[in-house]
Amino acid sequence: SYELTQPPSVSVSPGQTASISCSGDKLGSKYTCWYQLKPGQSPVLVIYQDSRRPSGIPERFSGSNSGNTATLTISGTQAMDEADYYCQAWDSSTGVFGTGTKVTVL
Amino acid sequence: EVQLVESGGGVVRPGGSLRLSCAASGFTFDDYGMSWVRQAPGKGLEWVSGINWNGGSTGYADSVKGRFTISRDNAKNSLYLQMNSLRAEDTALYHCARDLIPGAVVTDAFDIWGQGTMVTVSS
């Protein structure tokens, strides 16, 4: 079955840039989206179709996807961005989530 | 307000059954495909099942195939998940989620999520 691998954790200082990778076989040939998940809340879509931002998502969130790796970048990270982040793609009409990355803003 | 509200969770013994419901409001329900996504305690997100706008196409994760059935009633603006032969590993918070793009042939992403309903499988 298809797998998406993310680093378990990423630490970033306020105002700096956080980058979260998501690796999967030929992932660049699929659309990838990203979700933010905070404790006690439902997931929030922050990036879809590799690099598009839904309305209401701050411009500091951006995405890219090429080769075997998709990347979510948070520029000028704020304390409110501390959360778990999950990538997601589709393989043979089956939804696949990444392993998740905890972003800590120190 | 666009909203999804799940119900039907609870505690069930291994081998038992539950039926989850998701009530949609604030949008034209039959324009959108829908999915169920779960999160086990302390674990990550897992896509469980999806259904297109008219119920004509469904999909399942390998972990639930043959045990779970997704369905919808567009007249009632409702999504369902019939869960049979439940196992301890099915214990999770179950969310329903709306496809981002109405009428999409292939699901892309989920833009609206419910708060979830908890399912606990334990003897």
PDB file of all heavy atoms in Angstrom, chain A residues 1 31 33 35 37 40-43 45 48-49 86 88 90 93-95 97, chain B residues 37 39 43-47 60 95 100-101 107-111 113-115:
ATOM      1  N   SER A   1       0.839  -1.186   0.000  1.00  0.00           N
ATOM      2  CA  SER A   1       0.000   0.000   0.000  1.00  0.00           C
ATOM      3  C   SER A   1       0.888   1.254   0.000  1.00  0.00           C
ATOM      4  O   SER A   1       2.044   1.216   0.395  1.00  0.00           O
ATOM      5  CB  SER A   1      -0.920   0.005   1.215  1.00  0.00           C
ATOM      6  OG  SER A   1      -0.171   0.015   2.406  1.00  0.00           O
ATOM      7  N   TYR A  31      -1.560  15.119  -6.743  1.00  0.00           N
ATOM      8  CA  TYR A  31      -1.831  16.323  -5.964  1.00  0.00           C
ATOM      9  C   TYR A  31      -1.682  16.009  -4.479  1.00  0.00           C
ATOM     10  O   TYR A  31      -2.150  14.978  -3.998  1.00  0.00           O
ATOM     11  CB  TYR A  31      -3.250  16.833  -6.225  1.00  0.00           C
ATOM     12  CG  TYR A  31      -3.381  17.755  -7.404  1.00  0.00           C
ATOM     13  CD1 TYR A  31      -4.521  17.727  -8.206  1.00  0.00           C
ATOM     14  CD2 TYR A  31      -2.389  18.684  -7.720  1.00  0.00           C
ATOM     15  CE1 TYR A  31      -4.668  18.592  -9.272  1.00  0.00           C
ATOM     16  CE2 TYR A  31      -2.520  19.543  -8.795  1.00  0.00           C
ATOM     17  CZ  TYR A  31      -3.658  19.498  -9.565  1.00  0.00           C
ATOM     18  OH  TYR A  31      -3.799  20.339 -10.639  1.00  0.00           O
ATOM     19  N   CYS A  33      -2.211  17.672  -0.487  1.00  0.00           N
ATOM     20  CA  CYS A  33      -2.776  18.737   0.327  1.00  0.00           C
ATOM     21  C   CYS A  33      -2.234  18.602   1.743  1.00  0.00           C
ATOM     22  O   CYS A  33      -1.607  17.590   2.092  1.00  0.00           O
ATOM     23  CB  CYS A  33      -4.301  18.711   0.306  1.00  0.00           C
ATOM     24  SG  CYS A  33      -5.064  17.206   0.918  1.00  0.00           S
ATOM     25  N   TYR A  35      -3.015  19.512   6.034  1.00  0.00           N
ATOM     26  CA  TYR A  35      -3.964  19.868   7.082  1.00  0.00           C
ATOM     27  C   TYR A  35      -3.223  20.245   8.355  1.00  0.00           C
ATOM     28  O   TYR A  35      -2.198  19.648   8.686  1.00  0.00           O
ATOM     29  CB  TYR A  35      -4.910  18.702   7.387  1.00  0.00           C
ATOM     30  CG  TYR A  35      -5.742  18.276   6.210  1.00  0.00           C
ATOM     31  CD1 TYR A  35      -5.310  17.255   5.371  1.00  0.00           C
ATOM     32  CD2 TYR A  35      -6.949  18.895   5.922  1.00  0.00           C
ATOM     33  CE1 TYR A  35      -6.053  16.871   4.275  1.00  0.00           C
ATOM     34  CE2 TYR A  35      -7.709  18.511   4.823  1.00  0.00           C
ATOM     35  CZ  TYR A  35      -7.252  17.501   4.009  1.00  0.00           C
ATOM     36  OH  TYR A  35      -7.989  17.123   2.920  1.00  0.00           O
ATOM     37  N   LEU A  37      -3.758  20.414  12.456  1.00  0.00           N
ATOM     38  CA  LEU A  37      -4.603  19.822  13.482  1.00  0.00           C
ATOM     39  C   LEU A  37      -4.116  20.251  14.858  1.00  0.00           C
ATOM     40  O   LEU A  37      -2.993  19.937  15.253  1.00  0.00           O
ATOM     41  CB  LEU A  37      -4.591  18.295  13.364  1.00  0.00           C
ATOM     42  CG  LEU A  37      -5.477  17.506  14.321  1.00  0.00           C
ATOM     43  CD1 LEU A  37      -6.911  17.976  14.255  1.00  0.00           C
ATOM     44  CD2 LEU A  37      -5.382  16.008  14.017  1.00  0.00           C
ATOM     45  N   GLY A  40      -8.008  19.012  20.283  1.00  0.00           N
ATOM     46  CA  GLY A  40      -9.412  19.297  20.539  1.00  0.00           C
ATOM     47  C   GLY A  40     -10.154  19.957  19.398  1.00  0.00           C
ATOM     48  O   GLY A  40     -11.330  20.298  19.539  1.00  0.00           O
ATOM     49  N   GLN A  41      -9.494  20.133  18.266  1.00  0.00           N
ATOM     50  CA  GLN A  41     -10.132  20.773  17.122  1.00  0.00           C
ATOM     51  C   GLN A  41     -10.149  19.831  15.926  1.00  0.00           C
ATOM     52  O   GLN A  41      -9.449  18.821  15.897  1.00  0.00           O
ATOM     53  CB  GLN A  41      -9.398  22.070  16.756  1.00  0.00           C
ATOM     54  CG  GLN A  41      -9.411  23.107  17.856  1.00  0.00           C
ATOM     55  CD  GLN A  41      -8.763  24.406  17.431  1.00  0.00           C
ATOM     56  OE1 GLN A  41      -8.617  24.708  16.250  1.00  0.00           O
ATOM     57  NE2 GLN A  41      -8.370  25.219  18.410  1.00  0.00           N
ATOM     58  N   SER A  42     -10.952  20.179  14.942  1.00  0.00           N
ATOM     59  CA  SER A  42     -10.982  19.406  13.700  1.00  0.00           C
ATOM     60  C   SER A  42      -9.869  19.890  12.772  1.00  0.00           C
ATOM     61  O   SER A  42      -9.411  21.033  12.883  1.00  0.00           O
ATOM     62  CB  SER A  42     -12.343  19.583  13.022  1.00  0.00           C
ATOM     63  OG  SER A  42     -13.371  19.071  13.833  1.00  0.00           O
ATOM     64  N   PRO A  43      -9.440  19.030  11.862  1.00  0.00           N
ATOM     65  CA  PRO A  43      -8.401  19.445  10.918  1.00  0.00           C
ATOM     66  C   PRO A  43      -8.833  20.643  10.078  1.00  0.00           C
ATOM     67  O   PRO A  43     -10.011  20.808   9.777  1.00  0.00           O
ATOM     68  CB  PRO A  43      -8.216  18.198  10.031  1.00  0.00           C
ATOM     69  CG  PRO A  43      -8.664  17.062  10.887  1.00  0.00           C
ATOM     70  CD  PRO A  43      -9.810  17.614  11.694  1.00  0.00           C
ATOM     71  N   LEU A  45      -7.809  22.590   6.456  1.00  0.00           N
ATOM     72  CA  LEU A  45      -7.076  22.523   5.196  1.00  0.00           C
ATOM     73  C   LEU A  45      -6.279  23.806   5.019  1.00  0.00           C
ATOM     74  O   LEU A  45      -6.853  24.901   5.029  1.00  0.00           O
ATOM     75  CB  LEU A  45      -8.064  22.342   4.043  1.00  0.00           C
ATOM     76  CG  LEU A  45      -7.485  22.261   2.639  1.00  0.00           C
ATOM     77  CD1 LEU A  45      -6.667  20.993   2.452  1.00  0.00           C
ATOM     78  CD2 LEU A  45      -8.610  22.328   1.603  1.00  0.00           C
ATOM     79  N   TYR A  48      -3.973  22.986  -0.772  1.00  0.00           N
ATOM     80  CA  TYR A  48      -4.507  21.938  -1.636  1.00  0.00           C
ATOM     81  C   TYR A  48      -3.883  22.051  -3.021  1.00  0.00           C
ATOM     82  O   TYR A  48      -3.314  23.091  -3.366  1.00  0.00           O
ATOM     83  CB  TYR A  48      -6.033  21.983  -1.693  1.00  0.00           C
ATOM     84  CG  TYR A  48      -6.618  23.183  -2.410  1.00  0.00           C
ATOM     85  CD1 TYR A  48      -7.048  23.075  -3.730  1.00  0.00           C
ATOM     86  CD2 TYR A  48      -6.762  24.402  -1.775  1.00  0.00           C
ATOM     87  CE1 TYR A  48      -7.595  24.155  -4.397  1.00  0.00           C
ATOM     88  CE2 TYR A  48      -7.309  25.489  -2.431  1.00  0.00           C
ATOM     89  CZ  TYR A  48      -7.731  25.358  -3.739  1.00  0.00           C
ATOM     90  OH  TYR A  48      -8.263  26.436  -4.406  1.00  0.00           O
ATOM     91  N   GLN A  49      -3.998  21.000  -3.799  1.00  0.00           N
ATOM     92  CA  GLN A  49      -3.394  20.950  -5.135  1.00  0.00           C
ATOM     93  C   GLN A  49      -1.951  21.467  -5.099  1.00  0.00           C
ATOM     94  O   GLN A  49      -1.558  22.324  -5.887  1.00  0.00           O
ATOM     95  CB  GLN A  49      -4.252  21.727  -6.132  1.00  0.00           C
ATOM     96  CG  GLN A  49      -5.592  21.047  -6.392  1.00  0.00           C
ATOM     97  CD  GLN A  49      -6.454  21.772  -7.407  1.00  0.00           C
ATOM     98  OE1 GLN A  49      -6.070  22.783  -7.982  1.00  0.00           O
ATOM     99  NE2 GLN A  49      -7.650  21.255  -7.607  1.00  0.00           N
ATOM    100  N   TYR A  86      -0.445  17.321   8.662  1.00  0.00           N
ATOM    101  CA  TYR A  86      -0.529  16.076   7.910  1.00  0.00           C
ATOM    102  C   TYR A  86      -0.617  16.370   6.417  1.00  0.00           C
ATOM    103  O   TYR A  86      -1.427  17.202   5.996  1.00  0.00           O
ATOM    104  CB  TYR A  86      -1.769  15.274   8.311  1.00  0.00           C
ATOM    105  CG  TYR A  86      -1.731  14.729   9.715  1.00  0.00           C
ATOM    106  CD1 TYR A  86      -2.169  15.489  10.795  1.00  0.00           C
ATOM    107  CD2 TYR A  86      -1.258  13.435   9.964  1.00  0.00           C
ATOM    108  CE1 TYR A  86      -2.129  14.991  12.092  1.00  0.00           C
ATOM    109  CE2 TYR A  86      -1.218  12.929  11.255  1.00  0.00           C
ATOM    110  CZ  TYR A  86      -1.653  13.707  12.306  1.00  0.00           C
ATOM    111  OH  TYR A  86      -1.609  13.203  13.587  1.00  0.00           O
ATOM    112  N   GLN A  88      -1.541  14.782   2.618  1.00  0.00           N
ATOM    113  CA  GLN A  88      -2.484  13.774   2.127  1.00  0.00           C
ATOM    114  C   GLN A  88      -2.441  13.737   0.611  1.00  0.00           C
ATOM    115  O   GLN A  88      -2.313  14.780  -0.048  1.00  0.00           O
ATOM    116  CB  GLN A  88      -3.903  14.077   2.580  1.00  0.00           C
ATOM    117  CG  GLN A  88      -4.870  12.921   2.345  1.00  0.00           C
ATOM    118  CD  GLN A  88      -6.238  13.362   1.848  1.00  0.00           C
ATOM    119  OE1 GLN A  88      -6.646  14.500   2.048  1.00  0.00           O
ATOM    120  NE2 GLN A  88      -6.949  12.468   1.212  1.00  0.00           N
ATOM    121  N   TRP A  90      -3.779  10.947  -2.946  1.00  0.00           N
ATOM    122  CA  TRP A  90      -4.671   9.874  -3.351  1.00  0.00           C
ATOM    123  C   TRP A  90      -3.907   8.884  -4.223  1.00  0.00           C
ATOM    124  O   TRP A  90      -3.148   9.270  -5.119  1.00  0.00           O
ATOM    125  CB  TRP A  90      -5.872  10.431  -4.118  1.00  0.00           C
ATOM    126  CG  TRP A  90      -6.750  11.243  -3.222  1.00  0.00           C
ATOM    127  CD1 TRP A  90      -6.615  12.569  -2.926  1.00  0.00           C
ATOM    128  CD2 TRP A  90      -7.867  10.778  -2.471  1.00  0.00           C
ATOM    129  NE1 TRP A  90      -7.580  12.947  -2.032  1.00  0.00           N
ATOM    130  CE2 TRP A  90      -8.368  11.873  -1.746  1.00  0.00           C
ATOM    131  CE3 TRP A  90      -8.499   9.538  -2.351  1.00  0.00           C
ATOM    132  CZ2 TRP A  90      -9.467  11.772  -0.897  1.00  0.00           C
ATOM    133  CZ3 TRP A  90      -9.602   9.436  -1.512  1.00  0.00           C
ATOM    134  CH2 TRP A  90     -10.079  10.547  -0.794  1.00  0.00           C
ATOM    135  N   SER A  93      -7.511   5.783  -6.019  1.00  0.00           N
ATOM    136  CA  SER A  93      -8.793   6.189  -5.424  1.00  0.00           C
ATOM    137  C   SER A  93      -8.868   5.946  -3.929  1.00  0.00           C
ATOM    138  O   SER A  93      -9.964   5.897  -3.355  1.00  0.00           O
ATOM    139  CB  SER A  93      -9.955   5.470  -6.122  1.00  0.00           C
ATOM    140  OG  SER A  93      -9.984   5.794  -7.486  1.00  0.00           O
ATOM    141  N   THR A  94      -7.735   5.753  -3.296  1.00  0.00           N
ATOM    142  CA  THR A  94      -7.682   5.588  -1.837  1.00  0.00           C
ATOM    143  C   THR A  94      -6.965   6.770  -1.225  1.00  0.00           C
ATOM    144  O   THR A  94      -5.878   7.140  -1.674  1.00  0.00           O
ATOM    145  CB  THR A  94      -6.942   4.288  -1.473  1.00  0.00           C
ATOM    146  OG1 THR A  94      -7.664   3.176  -2.000  1.00  0.00           O
ATOM    147  CG2 THR A  94      -6.825   4.142   0.035  1.00  0.00           C
ATOM    148  N   GLY A  95      -7.565   7.345  -0.198  1.00  0.00           N
ATOM    149  CA  GLY A  95      -6.930   8.458   0.485  1.00  0.00           C
ATOM    150  C   GLY A  95      -5.808   7.970   1.382  1.00  0.00           C
ATOM    151  O   GLY A  95      -5.954   6.964   2.081  1.00  0.00           O
ATOM    152  N   PHE A  97      -2.952   9.469   4.220  1.00  0.00           N
ATOM    153  CA  PHE A  97      -2.409  10.556   5.021  1.00  0.00           C
ATOM    154  C   PHE A  97      -0.959  10.254   5.376  1.00  0.00           C
ATOM    155  O   PHE A  97      -0.563   9.087   5.528  1.00  0.00           O
ATOM    156  CB  PHE A  97      -3.200  10.728   6.319  1.00  0.00           C
ATOM    157  CG  PHE A  97      -4.519  11.432   6.136  1.00  0.00           C
ATOM    158  CD1 PHE A  97      -5.684  10.711   5.945  1.00  0.00           C
ATOM    159  CD2 PHE A  97      -4.593  12.817   6.173  1.00  0.00           C
ATOM    160  CE1 PHE A  97      -6.905  11.351   5.778  1.00  0.00           C
ATOM    161  CE2 PHE A  97      -5.806  13.467   6.009  1.00  0.00           C
ATOM    162  CZ  PHE A  97      -6.962  12.735   5.808  1.00  0.00           C
TER     163      PHE A  97
ATOM    164  N   VAL B  37     -13.096  10.051   8.002  1.00  0.00           N
ATOM    165  CA  VAL B  37     -11.687  10.021   8.380  1.00  0.00           C
ATOM    166  C   VAL B  37     -11.630   9.783   9.883  1.00  0.00           C
ATOM    167  O   VAL B  37     -12.396  10.395  10.625  1.00  0.00           O
ATOM    168  CB  VAL B  37     -10.971  11.338   8.015  1.00  0.00           C
ATOM    169  CG1 VAL B  37      -9.517  11.300   8.482  1.00  0.00           C
ATOM    170  CG2 VAL B  37     -11.047  11.588   6.512  1.00  0.00           C
ATOM    171  N   GLN B  39      -9.261   9.134  13.639  1.00  0.00           N
ATOM    172  CA  GLN B  39      -8.002   9.341  14.341  1.00  0.00           C
ATOM    173  C   GLN B  39      -8.047   8.540  15.637  1.00  0.00           C
ATOM    174  O   GLN B  39      -8.819   8.863  16.550  1.00  0.00           O
ATOM    175  CB  GLN B  39      -7.752  10.823  14.641  1.00  0.00           C
ATOM    176  CG  GLN B  39      -6.399  11.075  15.284  1.00  0.00           C
ATOM    177  CD  GLN B  39      -6.063  12.536  15.472  1.00  0.00           C
ATOM    178  OE1 GLN B  39      -6.946  13.383  15.537  1.00  0.00           O
ATOM    179  NE2 GLN B  39      -4.761  12.853  15.546  1.00  0.00           N
ATOM    180  N   LYS B  43      -2.748   8.704  17.754  1.00  0.00           N
ATOM    181  CA  LYS B  43      -2.277   8.331  16.416  1.00  0.00           C
ATOM    182  C   LYS B  43      -2.622   9.404  15.385  1.00  0.00           C
ATOM    183  O   LYS B  43      -3.207  10.436  15.716  1.00  0.00           O
ATOM    184  CB  LYS B  43      -2.910   6.992  16.002  1.00  0.00           C
ATOM    185  CG  LYS B  43      -2.642   5.849  16.957  1.00  0.00           C
ATOM    186  CD  LYS B  43      -1.180   5.458  16.990  1.00  0.00           C
ATOM    187  CE  LYS B  43      -0.962   4.226  17.856  1.00  0.00           C
ATOM    188  NZ  LYS B  43       0.482   3.833  17.911  1.00  0.00           N
ATOM    189  N   GLY B  44      -2.266   9.140  14.143  1.00  0.00           N
ATOM    190  CA  GLY B  44      -2.506  10.101  13.077  1.00  0.00           C
ATOM    191  C   GLY B  44      -3.852   9.918  12.401  1.00  0.00           C
ATOM    192  O   GLY B  44      -4.673   9.082  12.805  1.00  0.00           O
ATOM    193  N   LEU B  45      -4.067  10.726  11.373  1.00  0.00           N
ATOM    194  CA  LEU B  45      -5.315  10.655  10.606  1.00  0.00           C
ATOM    195  C   LEU B  45      -5.289   9.454   9.654  1.00  0.00           C
ATOM    196  O   LEU B  45      -4.248   9.116   9.091  1.00  0.00           O
ATOM    197  CB  LEU B  45      -5.498  11.942   9.798  1.00  0.00           C
ATOM    198  CG  LEU B  45      -5.613  13.229  10.595  1.00  0.00           C
ATOM    199  CD1 LEU B  45      -5.625  14.431   9.654  1.00  0.00           C
ATOM    200  CD2 LEU B  45      -6.858  13.226  11.464  1.00  0.00           C
ATOM    201  N   GLU B  46      -6.452   8.841   9.480  1.00  0.00           N
ATOM    202  CA  GLU B  46      -6.591   7.712   8.546  1.00  0.00           C
ATOM    203  C   GLU B  46      -7.885   7.876   7.763  1.00  0.00           C
ATOM    204  O   GLU B  46      -8.978   7.943   8.356  1.00  0.00           O
ATOM    205  CB  GLU B  46      -6.601   6.375   9.291  1.00  0.00           C
ATOM    206  CG  GLU B  46      -6.749   5.169   8.349  1.00  0.00           C
ATOM    207  CD  GLU B  46      -6.915   3.837   9.082  1.00  0.00           C
ATOM    208  OE1 GLU B  46      -7.194   3.860  10.299  1.00  0.00           O
ATOM    209  OE2 GLU B  46      -6.773   2.776   8.429  1.00  0.00           O
ATOM    210  N   TRP B  47      -7.791   7.939   6.441  1.00  0.00           N
ATOM    211  CA  TRP B  47      -8.976   7.946   5.606  1.00  0.00           C
ATOM    212  C   TRP B  47      -9.645   6.577   5.695  1.00  0.00           C
ATOM    213  O   TRP B  47      -8.979   5.546   5.577  1.00  0.00           O
ATOM    214  CB  TRP B  47      -8.589   8.262   4.168  1.00  0.00           C
ATOM    215  CG  TRP B  47      -9.723   8.263   3.195  1.00  0.00           C
ATOM    216  CD1 TRP B  47     -10.604   9.270   2.958  1.00  0.00           C
ATOM    217  CD2 TRP B  47     -10.080   7.209   2.299  1.00  0.00           C
ATOM    218  NE1 TRP B  47     -11.494   8.896   1.972  1.00  0.00           N
ATOM    219  CE2 TRP B  47     -11.199   7.643   1.553  1.00  0.00           C
ATOM    220  CE3 TRP B  47      -9.568   5.936   2.040  1.00  0.00           C
ATOM    221  CZ2 TRP B  47     -11.807   6.859   0.577  1.00  0.00           C
ATOM    222  CZ3 TRP B  47     -10.163   5.147   1.076  1.00  0.00           C
ATOM    223  CH2 TRP B  47     -11.283   5.613   0.357  1.00  0.00           C
ATOM    224  N   TYR B  60     -13.000   2.369  -0.037  1.00  0.00           N
ATOM    225  CA  TYR B  60     -12.710   1.993   1.338  1.00  0.00           C
ATOM    226  C   TYR B  60     -11.219   1.765   1.539  1.00  0.00           C
ATOM    227  O   TYR B  60     -10.510   1.298   0.639  1.00  0.00           O
ATOM    228  CB  TYR B  60     -13.449   0.698   1.709  1.00  0.00           C
ATOM    229  CG  TYR B  60     -14.952   0.810   1.615  1.00  0.00           C
ATOM    230  CD1 TYR B  60     -15.615   0.488   0.432  1.00  0.00           C
ATOM    231  CD2 TYR B  60     -15.697   1.256   2.699  1.00  0.00           C
ATOM    232  CE1 TYR B  60     -16.988   0.609   0.332  1.00  0.00           C
ATOM    233  CE2 TYR B  60     -17.082   1.367   2.604  1.00  0.00           C
ATOM    234  CZ  TYR B  60     -17.718   1.060   1.417  1.00  0.00           C
ATOM    235  OH  TYR B  60     -19.080   1.179   1.330  1.00  0.00           O
ATOM    236  N   HIS B  95     -14.486  11.391  11.998  1.00  0.00           N
ATOM    237  CA  HIS B  95     -14.938  12.654  11.424  1.00  0.00           C
ATOM    238  C   HIS B  95     -15.577  12.396  10.061  1.00  0.00           C
ATOM    239  O   HIS B  95     -15.075  11.565   9.285  1.00  0.00           O
ATOM    240  CB  HIS B  95     -13.759  13.586  11.152  1.00  0.00           C
ATOM    241  CG  HIS B  95     -13.001  14.040  12.348  1.00  0.00           C
ATOM    242  ND1 HIS B  95     -13.361  15.126  13.107  1.00  0.00           N
ATOM    243  CD2 HIS B  95     -11.868  13.544  12.906  1.00  0.00           C
ATOM    244  CE1 HIS B  95     -12.495  15.303  14.075  1.00  0.00           C
ATOM    245  NE2 HIS B  95     -11.577  14.352  13.988  1.00  0.00           N
ATOM    246  N   LEU B 100     -13.548  19.284  -1.230  1.00  0.00           N
ATOM    247  CA  LEU B 100     -13.315  20.701  -1.492  1.00  0.00           C
ATOM    248  C   LEU B 100     -14.086  21.186  -2.715  1.00  0.00           C
ATOM    249  O   LEU B 100     -14.678  22.268  -2.692  1.00  0.00           O
ATOM    250  CB  LEU B 100     -11.818  20.930  -1.721  1.00  0.00           C
ATOM    251  CG  LEU B 100     -11.386  22.310  -2.187  1.00  0.00           C
ATOM    252  CD1 LEU B 100     -11.657  23.357  -1.112  1.00  0.00           C
ATOM    253  CD2 LEU B 100      -9.913  22.307  -2.566  1.00  0.00           C
ATOM    254  N   ILE B 101     -14.075  20.394  -3.770  1.00  0.00           N
ATOM    255  CA  ILE B 101     -14.625  20.846  -5.042  1.00  0.00           C
ATOM    256  C   ILE B 101     -15.950  20.142  -5.329  1.00  0.00           C
ATOM    257  O   ILE B 101     -15.984  18.913  -5.401  1.00  0.00           O
ATOM    258  CB  ILE B 101     -13.629  20.562  -6.177  1.00  0.00           C
ATOM    259  CG1 ILE B 101     -12.319  21.316  -5.889  1.00  0.00           C
ATOM    260  CG2 ILE B 101     -14.209  20.980  -7.520  1.00  0.00           C
ATOM    261  CD1 ILE B 101     -11.194  20.986  -6.852  1.00  0.00           C
ATOM    262  N   THR B 107     -11.842  12.893  -5.807  1.00  0.00           N
ATOM    263  CA  THR B 107     -11.692  13.685  -4.579  1.00  0.00           C
ATOM    264  C   THR B 107     -10.316  14.330  -4.535  1.00  0.00           C
ATOM    265  O   THR B 107      -9.316  13.705  -4.890  1.00  0.00           O
ATOM    266  CB  THR B 107     -11.891  12.788  -3.346  1.00  0.00           C
ATOM    267  OG1 THR B 107     -13.200  12.228  -3.398  1.00  0.00           O
ATOM    268  CG2 THR B 107     -11.751  13.593  -2.070  1.00  0.00           C
ATOM    269  N   ASP B 108     -10.285  15.567  -4.088  1.00  0.00           N
ATOM    270  CA  ASP B 108      -9.049  16.330  -4.057  1.00  0.00           C
ATOM    271  C   ASP B 108      -8.588  16.538  -2.620  1.00  0.00           C
ATOM    272  O   ASP B 108      -7.545  16.038  -2.211  1.00  0.00           O
ATOM    273  CB  ASP B 108      -9.306  17.672  -4.743  1.00  0.00           C
ATOM    274  CG  ASP B 108      -8.022  18.414  -5.027  1.00  0.00           C
ATOM    275  OD1 ASP B 108      -6.996  18.141  -4.368  1.00  0.00           O
ATOM    276  OD2 ASP B 108      -8.014  19.284  -5.909  1.00  0.00           O
ATOM    277  N   ALA B 109      -9.377  17.287  -1.873  1.00  0.00           N
ATOM    278  CA  ALA B 109      -9.059  17.582  -0.470  1.00  0.00           C
ATOM    279  C   ALA B 109     -10.369  17.794   0.264  1.00  0.00           C
ATOM    280  O   ALA B 109     -11.432  17.835  -0.357  1.00  0.00           O
ATOM    281  CB  ALA B 109      -8.171  18.824  -0.383  1.00  0.00           C
ATOM    282  N   PHE B 110     -10.277  17.936   1.574  1.00  0.00           N
ATOM    283  CA  PHE B 110     -11.464  18.116   2.400  1.00  0.00           C
ATOM    284  C   PHE B 110     -11.429  19.499   3.036  1.00  0.00           C
ATOM    285  O   PHE B 110     -10.488  19.821   3.765  1.00  0.00           O
ATOM    286  CB  PHE B 110     -11.525  17.045   3.484  1.00  0.00           C
ATOM    287  CG  PHE B 110     -11.420  15.645   2.963  1.00  0.00           C
ATOM    288  CD1 PHE B 110     -10.442  14.794   3.441  1.00  0.00           C
ATOM    289  CD2 PHE B 110     -12.294  15.175   1.997  1.00  0.00           C
ATOM    290  CE1 PHE B 110     -10.337  13.495   2.966  1.00  0.00           C
ATOM    291  CE2 PHE B 110     -12.194  13.878   1.516  1.00  0.00           C
ATOM    292  CZ  PHE B 110     -11.215  13.035   1.995  1.00  0.00           C
ATOM    293  N   ASP B 111     -12.487  20.293   2.779  1.00  0.00           N
ATOM    294  CA  ASP B 111     -12.447  21.655   3.284  1.00  0.00           C
ATOM    295  C   ASP B 111     -13.328  21.880   4.512  1.00  0.00           C
ATOM    296  O   ASP B 111     -13.131  22.866   5.229  1.00  0.00           O
ATOM    297  CB  ASP B 111     -12.839  22.652   2.182  1.00  0.00           C
ATOM    298  CG  ASP B 111     -14.291  22.511   1.734  1.00  0.00           C
ATOM    299  OD1 ASP B 111     -14.867  21.408   1.902  1.00  0.00           O
ATOM    300  OD2 ASP B 111     -14.836  23.501   1.208  1.00  0.00           O
ATOM    301  N   TRP B 113     -14.914  19.901   7.986  1.00  0.00           N
ATOM    302  CA  TRP B 113     -14.852  18.708   8.834  1.00  0.00           C
ATOM    303  C   TRP B 113     -15.826  18.873  10.000  1.00  0.00           C
ATOM    304  O   TRP B 113     -16.021  19.967  10.525  1.00  0.00           O
ATOM    305  CB  TRP B 113     -13.449  18.545   9.427  1.00  0.00           C
ATOM    306  CG  TRP B 113     -12.366  18.272   8.439  1.00  0.00           C
ATOM    307  CD1 TRP B 113     -11.893  19.115   7.462  1.00  0.00           C
ATOM    308  CD2 TRP B 113     -11.578  17.089   8.350  1.00  0.00           C
ATOM    309  NE1 TRP B 113     -10.862  18.523   6.772  1.00  0.00           N
ATOM    310  CE2 TRP B 113     -10.655  17.280   7.307  1.00  0.00           C
ATOM    311  CE3 TRP B 113     -11.548  15.881   9.062  1.00  0.00           C
ATOM    312  CZ2 TRP B 113      -9.706  16.294   6.938  1.00  0.00           C
ATOM    313  CZ3 TRP B 113     -10.613  14.918   8.711  1.00  0.00           C
ATOM    314  CH2 TRP B 113      -9.716  15.119   7.661  1.00  0.00           C
ATOM    315  N   GLY B 114     -16.415  17.760  10.415  1.00  0.00           N
ATOM    316  CA  GLY B 114     -17.183  17.776  11.639  1.00  0.00           C
ATOM    317  C   GLY B 114     -16.264  17.615  12.841  1.00  0.00           C
ATOM    318  O   GLY B 114     -15.068  17.361  12.701  1.00  0.00           O
ATOM    319  N   GLN B 115     -16.845  17.768  14.042  1.00  0.00           N
ATOM    320  CA  GLN B 115     -16.068  17.642  15.273  1.00  0.00           C
ATOM    321  C   GLN B 115     -15.745  16.186  15.614  1.00  0.00           C
ATOM    322  O   GLN B 115     -14.823  15.919  16.386  1.00  0.00           O
ATOM    323  CB  GLN B 115     -16.817  18.275  16.441  1.00  0.00           C
ATOM    324  CG  GLN B 115     -16.836  19.789  16.406  1.00  0.00           C
ATOM    325  CD  GLN B 115     -15.448  20.380  16.554  1.00  0.00           C
ATOM    326  OE1 GLN B 115     -14.646  19.952  17.371  1.00  0.00           O
ATOM    327  NE2 GLN B 115     -15.135  21.381  15.736  1.00  0.00           N
TER     328      GLN B 115
END
